[in-house]
Amino acid sequence: MGLPTLNRYDIAALASVAGLLALAYVVVPDSTVQYGAWLLVFCIWMAWFVAFGARWLYGE
């Protein structure tokens, strides 16, 4: 049983993180916005980690 393949939710999580960091560091380079962006990146990563782990353990 190998790793599950990446699906559209994995790509959406990656795109969301990239968009948030671009917003926080390029569009609105403010320390408060950057802090909020990193909090959201952490939340997205945790949700992705749990979802990917569940798919890996229990199958797609």
Side-chain angles (χ1 to χ4, degrees), residues 3-57:
L3 289 172
T5 58
L6 296 179
N7 61 18
R8 62 183 172 155
Y9 297 116
D10 300 325
I11 304 301
L14 182 63
S16 298
V17 165
L20 276 170
L21 292 177
L23 176 76
Y25 283 93
V26 177
V27 178
V28 188
D30 180 51
S31 61
T32 305
V33 175
Q34 292 169 356
Y35 181 77
W38 280 109
L39 284 176
L40 287 173
V41 165
F42 179 73
C43 291
I44 292 169
W45 176 77
M46 286 302 296
W48 175 84
F49 183 77
V50 170
F52 190 81
R55 283 192 348 241
W56 188 10
L57 288 175

